[in-house]
Amino acid sequence: MRTTVDIPAELLERAKRLAASQNRGLSDLVNDGLDRLLHDKASPSTPAPFRVRPFQLGRTLPGVDLDDNDTLYLP
């Protein structure tokens, strides 16, 4: 299918050079790029699950009761 698209001159020149260096047509290059863009947007990557890495700092400070949330707040 034919259509008209406005492409900035510098971008068009870069695309033509890339297509020529790969022995491909400009249409093939544009189609592949558009296909990749649409595919990436359609299937966003799922972020890795958040993991807590516990570490040992030593004993708790005197007067801190880990079973009482109010003692954990700073005055």
Side-chain angles (χ1 to χ4, degrees), residues 7-59:
I7 302 174
E10 179 194 339
L11 182 59
L12 180 60
E13 285 303 314
R14 289 174 36 207
K16 285 180 179 180
R17 284 194 301 268
L18 179 61
S21 73
Q22 296 178 354
N23 294 321
R24 303 171 64 187
L26 182 61
S27 292
D28 290 335
L29 186 81
V30 171
N31 289 336
D32 287 349
L34 186 56
D35 187 53
R36 285 184 189 177
L37 178 68
L38 294 175
H39 177 71
D40 290 347
K41 296 290 183 185
S43 58
S45 61
T46 304
F50 179 77
R51 294 184 182 212
V52 175
R53 295 185 187 133
F55 56 94
Q56 185 66 32
L57 291 177
R59 301 174 341 129

